[in-house]
Amino acid sequence: MKHQRGVVLLLALILSLLLGLFAASALRDALLETRMAGYLRDSLQAFEQAEATLLAGEAELHRAPPQQCQACLPPAHPHDLQGQWQASKSGYFQLQNLGESTRAAHMPKGEPVTLYRVTAVSRQAESRQVLEAVYAIPAAQAQAPQRILWRQRLRED
């Protein structure tokens, strides 16, 4: 009888230890999922800021289109905001006049249009997002810019 009391105590300690390990594992997993959800929320918020900045760049393009540039390469390191950027309340954008073309995608064939590149960067620095869009404005009649190309630029490390 005395031996049984020791075995029951030992089994109770082992079961308590296992339950503690399971609880610690569940807590760690919950903490990891919470962090992942926070990173996803920050990334989506930065994406929304970049899209709003892209629209602000489009509005500026309609208001005051830039002169044609000579070497119209996209900004080399937009995540680091090097070069000339215009600020909006949601981020920073850069406008470039790419020149005229009669072969723009999603436009009537042979219609001359002026192409503009808008590069938008979200204001949020931790999970910064960069979007680029090319807009076409028909040369014959002034109308709102039409987005013909869009891409998301990822950080190049």
Side-chain angles (χ1 to χ4, degrees):
M1 192 101 166
K2 290 183 181 180
H3 293 292
Q4 290 179 351
R5 288 184 184 166
V7 172
V8 170
L9 179 61
L10 183 61
L11 284 174
L13 288 173
I14 290 174
L15 286 175
S16 295
L17 180 65
L18 286 175
L19 286 173
L21 289 174
F22 287 141
S25 175
L27 185 61
R28 187 194 65 196
D29 289 346
L31 181 62
L32 182 63
E33 287 181 16
T34 302
R35 284 184 186 161
M36 288 174 30
Y39 293 146
L40 180 61
R41 183 202 64 223
D42 291 347
S43 179
L44 290 174
Q45 190 175 39
F47 186 83
E48 288 175 8
Q49 285 179 355
E51 181 66 27
T53 304
L54 198 62
L55 295 175
E58 178 184 344
E60 180 67 18
L61 176 65
H62 192 58
R63 191 182 67 75
Q67 297 296 319
Q68 186 172 356
C69 57
Q70 299 303 320
C72 289
L73 297 174
H77 301 286
H79 285 85
D80 302 327
L81 291 175
Q82 298 172 354
Q84 295 183 336
W85 294 89
Q86 297 179 38
S88 75
K89 69 178 185 177
S90 57
Y92 306 92
F93 63 90
Q94 193 174 80
L95 302 176
Q96 294 174 307
N97 182 334
L98 303 177
E100 289 194 9
S101 175
T102 57
R103 299 177 53 175
H106 310 292
M107 298 300 287
K109 191 174 184 176
E111 180 179 2
V113 295
T114 304
L115 301 174
Y116 297 92
R117 179 188 298 124
V118 179
T119 305
V121 180
S122 65
R123 200 172 274 281
Q124 188 175 8
E126 286 297 318
S127 55
R128 180 160 278 162
Q129 296 285 325
V130 177
L131 301 178
E132 254 180 20
V134 174
Y135 292 89
I137 298 178
Q141 57 186 14
Q143 62 186 44
Q146 180 178 345
R147 187 186 296 186
I148 61 171
L149 177 83
W150 178 94
R151 74 175 180 154
Q152 181 178 12
R153 291 186 60 182
L154 303 176
R155 183 179 290 275
E156 300 165 357
D157 293 324

